[in-house]
Amino acid sequence: MSSTSVVASITSAGFVPADRPHDRVQRIFSGLFFGTFIGSLIVILFFSQNMSLWGYLLPFVVALLIAGAGLVVWRSVKAKQPDNSVPVVAKVIGTDESILERTTRNKGIMCPVVVRPLDGADFRSVVVSTSETKEPAIDIKPGTIMALRQVEPGLGDLVTAPATDEQRELMERWAKNPKLVSNRAPALPTRRAPLERAPFSSAVEFYASIGIGAAIMFFILQIV
């Protein structure tokens, strides 16, 4: 494939909703968590003359309890979900898009890849190069071959994982024969992040949870 706006072409394949059970749990409990602080802020701004010292500390206690409960429920629900991931090998391909054009809101750099699963059809997707330090993320050089896992069949989401012997063998064959996989494989859609307010149903879940959390904290602080 000639170098062009590859990342834009891949991401145009679209997104599917974050509607798995653990996605919904994360979205709802995150809304409740933020809602407690919104309810607390309303009370502090307009009813602080009636609040005790305990009333000022209570929002932090409640928020910690919600965060803890959310983490427990999220882990429990996610553990019950089947692992549908499959091992793949990906190769970074070239693009004319600048690093600035490919930088995400979290300062990661989107790098286009063509992917060959050990069992399945080839596809294109993106991997995001991030930095675990204060140093900026580094753009991955085209031609880099890596072992990853496809999170779900039919979607382009990829995660890192230890390489298997089969993946190492495929990586060696691909390195010796760069034309082993065509760069023109179709792009697959990816799943939205759980806290994205799209589609509309996700926005309703998130903002309704914020409203419920704010209302609960508002009434609790009124009686403390």
Side-chain angles (χ1 to χ4, degrees):
M1 172 180 291
S2 59
S3 184
T4 182
S5 300
V6 183
V7 171
S9 173
I10 292 172
T11 55
S12 68
F15 302 89
V16 299
D19 55 2
R20 296 167 296 184
H22 60 277
D23 293 328
R24 301 188 66 188
V25 167
Q26 182 176 349
R27 192 159 49 242
I28 290 170
F29 273 91
S30 295
L32 291 173
F33 179 84
F34 291 127
T36 59
F37 287 105
I38 293 175
S40 303
L41 183 62
I42 293 173
V43 174
I44 291 173
L45 288 176
F46 298 101
F47 304 97
S48 60
Q49 67 276 11
N50 299 323
M51 288 180 62
S52 63
L53 177 61
W54 171 238
Y56 287 99
L57 297 176
L58 187 59
F60 297 98
V61 176
V62 174
L64 287 175
L65 290 174
I66 290 175
L71 181 60
V72 171
V73 175
W74 180 82
R75 286 181 172 176
S76 175
V77 172
K78 188 174 182 181
K80 296 178 181 178
Q81 302 302 307
D83 182 7
N84 296 320
S85 65
V86 296
V88 302
V89 173
K91 180 180 180 180
V92 180
I93 54 181
T95 177
D96 286 338
E97 295 151 313
S98 68
I99 291 179
L100 181 61
E101 291 177 294
R102 294 184 283 122
T103 299
T104 67
R105 287 178 294 180
N106 295 327
K107 305 303 180 182
I109 301 175
M110 293 186 291
C111 303
V113 294
V114 60
V115 182
R116 166 154 291 187
L118 297 187
D119 182 18
D122 301 338
F123 63 92
R124 286 183 300 152
S125 186
V126 297
V127 295
V128 180
S129 172
T130 59
S131 174
E132 297 181 355
T133 66
K134 294 183 178 180
E135 297 296 323
I138 299 176
D139 192 18
I140 304 176
K141 182 180 178 181
T144 301
I145 300 175
M146 62 193 80
L148 302 170
R149 291 191 75 87
Q150 181 185 9
V151 177
E152 299 176 73
L155 296 182
D157 300 288
L158 302 168
V159 294
T160 58
T164 64
D165 292 338
E166 291 82 0
Q167 285 174 298
R168 295 189 188 95
E169 180 183 351
L170 177 54
M171 292 169 69
E172 292 177 3
R173 288 194 289 115
W174 202 346
K176 294 177 181 178
N177 181 13
K179 296 184 179 180
L180 179 67
V181 180
S182 171
N183 289 352
R184 298 185 181 275
L188 294 183
T190 57
R191 190 176 293 279
R192 292 187 180 277
L195 297 187
E196 286 189 39
R197 268 76 79 189
F200 180 71
S201 58
S202 296
V204 170
E205 281 185 343
F206 183 72
Y207 289 117
S209 300
I210 289 179
I212 292 171
I216 291 174
M217 182 55 66
F218 179 84
F219 287 113
I220 288 177
L221 291 181
Q222 289 299 300
I223 61 176
V224 173

